[in-house]
Amino acid sequence: MSNEAQVELIKAGYTFDVPAATLGVLIDDGPLPDVPIRIPVGMFNRHGLVAGATGTGKTKTLQVMAEALSSAGVPVFAADIKGDLSGMASPGASNEKILARVAAQGQPWEPGGFPTEFYALGGIGNGVPVRATISAFGPVLLSKVLDLNQVQESSLGLVFHYADKAGLALLDLKDLIALLKFLTSDEGKAELKDIGGVSSATVGVILRSLVTLSDQGADVFFGEPEFDPSELMRTAYDGRGVVSLLELPELATRPALFSTFLMWLLADLYSSLPEVGDIDKPKLVFFFDEAHLLFRGASKAFLEAITQTVRLIRSKGVGVFFVTQTPKDVPEDVLAQLGSRVQHQLRAHTPNDAKALRATVDTYPNSGYDLEQVLQQLGTGEAIVTVMSEKGAPTPVARTRMWAPTSLMAPTPDAELQTMIAASPLLAKYGTAIDRESAYEMLTARLEEGARAAEAERLETERLKAEKEEAELRAKAEKEAAAEAERRRKEGEKVERELAEMEARQARELAKEEARLEREAKAAEAARKKWERENPSLVEQVTKSPVFKDLVRTAGREIIRGLFGTGRRR
């Protein structure tokens, strides 16, 4: 096919009878201003992919799409990973380079900003804080976030059921953690007796998963006031769609936080929006920049949830575009749902790069391009495009010079950004975190009351024990004193008996000795008398002799004569 025929074929393929957003113009030895490459606004809800190596213009393509959608009255949500998209709130900067580019491609370029709202997950970053409650998440979605198995999911559902029944509000992670710990305590096990139990092993798994999620920053995401996703579907006073930008600093180190938010947001929108089928323009279009960070290391449950949501949410009028480095960054089941493709330059510096390049080429319809070569030769701001026509068929593959954004292709200066955030009407509604009484406070109070009662009971038990021990000691002392008195009494009686016995024994011995002495005295007296009878003494012999008697009589007379003076005269 000649170049002219191919150009005409492409031109016809991108000519629509419905409102369309211009992405750029066809390149054929230079830009062709009369062959615009467009996408029907209604086809944005058929989802799409913007891919390309670093520095090839992916983010600027996202910006062009978001500007076109906003101008068409379609609200846009974009994850602003690098902060570049904040420039959409400010008019673009005019210079010779940009003017030469837009002139060459016939773009009616005029600097202009767009109605923009800035958000930050849990207030991490610049923007209106976005929060969600644990109750709003529910056990099923939270189980997917935590990558729980069926048994663990069932146990988590039981925990939520108990919380509803007991009137325990689950608002943030500390509420759920406190409830899990309570239900495995001695007091909590009794609470679940009628409806089943939660094993400590299962609770341990859930708690560890919650701690990991908390370390990713989810502790600030869960809470109140809860963000209403319908805020993302607003239009400005002039009818343009509001561009909602979610700042995600350090996403590479906290992918679980964004994954958690994304699952909740899409699930909430899907459950709340009515079925609309194919409509003239989407109600909302999502752009997920740096999508490879979203899917890298993602759990099977998360991938299944994203695949199902992308497949079904189209019928709710919501479109989803993934912006990443190569198509292989997106799971195949998700990639199969993406009808529109904008492929910037791919590089094949390694065997894996070459393999990825060939795989990308195989996903495109047949064309007159040698895509394996062309994709490596694309300049910055150029792309291979194929989108869904208004009839739902793929358009011809077109090498495209992408239009330049009319808003600032750099971050909005911080001072202006802060002024815009401060002026947001949503800041008063969502700006201040609320920590009202919930499961954590109620269970803490309950446990503290239980602890106080237990402490009072312990003190009373100790008091009674002390009193009992004191009474026992007193009784023991009294018993010991009585025993000692009895012992002393008995000892005294024993001593008295022994003394009496000793006195009696001494008396007997004395009497016996006296009797002996008396006997001996009598015997001696008898012996003396006998001896005397048998052996008269000298005195007795003298006194009995006549001479002694005569001497005595003579002496007596002399004594008397001397006394009375009648003695013999001389």
Side-chain angles (χ1 to χ4, degrees), residues 289-331:
D289 198 6
E290 304 293 341
H292 60 283
L293 297 177
L294 179 66
F295 293 111
R296 181 185 300 164
S299 67
K300 181 180 178 182
F302 172 75
L303 296 178
E304 290 175 351
I306 289 296
T307 301
Q308 182 180 16
T309 303
V310 170
R311 183 182 296 118
L312 299 176
I313 204 168
R314 180 188 66 81
S315 63
K316 302 298 182 92
V318 177
V320 180
F321 274 70
F322 295 98
V323 183
T324 188
Q325 295 181 356
T326 70
K328 72 175 184 178
D329 293 333
V330 181

Side-chain angles (χ1 to χ4, degrees), residues 117-118 126-128 415-428:
E117 193 74 64
F118 299 93
N126 294 312
V128 176
E416 296 180 20
L417 179 65
Q418 297 303 327
T419 300
M420 295 176 187
I421 294 172
S424 171
L426 300 180
L427 197 60

Side-chain angles (χ1 to χ4, degrees), residues 203-268:
V203 170
V205 172
I206 297 174
L207 283 173
R208 286 192 294 273
S209 299
L210 288 173
V211 170
T212 300
L213 187 62
S214 178
D215 291 342
Q216 290 271 347
D219 55 332
V220 296
F221 170 60
F222 289 108
E224 288 187 315
E226 185 171 63
F227 182 73
D228 184 355
S230 65
E231 305 282 9
L232 304 178
M233 305 177 71
R234 295 179 296 132
T235 55
Y237 69 93
D238 57 4
R240 291 185 297 172
V242 172
V243 178
S244 298
L245 299 179
L246 177 69
E247 184 175 349
L248 291 169
E250 301 178 8
L251 174 62
T253 60
R254 297 186 293 186
L257 176 58
F258 183 43
S259 301
T260 301
F261 162 76
L262 177 58
M263 291 180 70
W264 165 74
L265 184 59
L266 293 178
D268 188 278

Side-chain angles (χ1 to χ4, degrees), residues 363-423:
T363 63
Y364 278 86
N366 292 330
S367 68
Y369 297 106
D370 181 354
L371 291 179
E372 193 167 339
Q373 293 294 323
V374 172
L375 286 174
Q376 298 182 72
Q377 298 169 355
L378 293 173
T380 301
E382 296 180 358
I384 293 296
V385 176
T386 179
V387 299
M388 302 294 288
S389 70
E390 77 271 30
K391 298 178 181 180
T395 58
V397 176
R399 181 172 180 173
T400 306
R401 171 74 66 84
M402 306 301 294
W403 270 16
T406 59
S407 56
L408 186 63
M409 290 187 282
T412 292
D414 188 67
E416 296 180 20
L417 179 65
Q418 297 303 327
T419 300
M420 295 176 187
I421 294 172

Side-chain angles (χ1 to χ4, degrees), residues 23-325:
L23 301 178
V25 297
L26 182 66
I27 298 176
D28 184 32
D29 295 330
L32 302 178
D34 60 337
V35 186
I37 304 300
R38 307 186 300 163
I39 175 175
V41 174
M43 289 297 105
F44 271 96
N45 73 335
R46 295 295 184 94
H47 315 316
L49 173 72
V50 179
T54 301
T56 57
K58 299 187 302 297
T59 302
K60 299 302 178 287
T61 295
L62 185 163
Q63 198 167 340
V64 168
M65 289 182 170
E67 290 178 356
L69 287 167
S70 177
S71 297
V74 178
V76 172
F77 172 88
D80 191 7
I81 307 301
K82 300 183 292 291
D84 297 344
L85 292 176
S86 65
M88 290 195 67
S90 305
S94 177
N95 54 56
E96 292 184 2
K97 183 178 179 180
I98 190 67
L99 292 177
R101 179 184 178 91
V102 299
Q105 58 198 27
Q107 179 182 352
W109 187 86
E110 183 177 349
F114 290 79
T116 306
E117 193 74 64
F118 299 93
Y119 296 98
L121 287 183
I124 301 177
N126 294 312
V128 176
V130 175
R131 303 181 183 90
T133 64
I134 290 289
S135 295
F137 247 74
V140 176
L141 185 58
L142 189 58
S143 295
K144 293 183 182 297
V145 171
L146 300 177
D147 197 22
L148 303 182
N149 61 32
Q150 187 174 357
V151 173
Q152 294 157 357
E153 180 180 341
S154 176
S155 297
L156 189 60
L158 184 63
V159 171
F160 272 74
H161 174 73
Y162 171 79
D164 290 339
K165 183 179 178 181
L168 298 172
L170 298 178
L171 304 180
D172 49 30
L173 282 180
K174 72 176 185 293
D175 288 330
L176 182 55
I177 291 173
L179 181 56
L180 287 168
K181 290 181 178 178
F182 169 76
L183 292 178
T184 52
S185 67
D186 293 338
E187 182 181 358
K189 287 178 181 178
E191 298 283 341
L192 286 178
K193 191 173 182 180
D194 295 336
I195 57 176
V198 179
S199 73
S200 57
T202 298
V203 170
V205 172
I206 297 174
L207 283 173
R208 286 192 294 273
S209 299
L210 288 173
V211 170
T212 300
L213 187 62
S214 178
D215 291 342
Q216 290 271 347
D219 55 332
V220 296
F221 170 60
F222 289 108
E224 288 187 315
E226 185 171 63
F227 182 73
D228 184 355
S230 65
E231 305 282 9
L232 304 178
M233 305 177 71
R234 295 179 296 132
T235 55
Y237 69 93
D238 57 4
R240 291 185 297 172
V242 172
V243 178
S244 298
L245 299 179
L246 177 69
E247 184 175 349
L248 291 169
E250 301 178 8
L251 174 62
T253 60
R254 297 186 293 186
L257 176 58
F258 183 43
S259 301
T260 301
F261 162 76
L262 177 58
M263 291 180 70
W264 165 74
L265 184 59
L266 293 178
D268 188 278
L269 288 171
Y270 180 77
S271 63
S272 62
L273 293 176
E275 292 280 344
V276 294
D278 292 325
I279 52 180
D280 293 339
K281 61 182 181 181
K283 293 184 177 182
L284 177 67
V285 176
F286 282 87
F287 289 94
F288 296 117
D289 198 6
E290 304 293 341
H292 60 283
L293 297 177
L294 179 66
F295 293 111
R296 181 185 300 164
S299 67
K300 181 180 178 182
F302 172 75
L303 296 178
E304 290 175 351
I306 289 296
T307 301
Q308 182 180 16
T309 303
V310 170
R311 183 182 296 118
L312 299 176
I313 204 168
R314 180 188 66 81
S315 63
K316 302 298 182 92
V318 177
V320 180
F321 274 70
F322 295 98
V323 183
T324 188
Q325 295 181 356

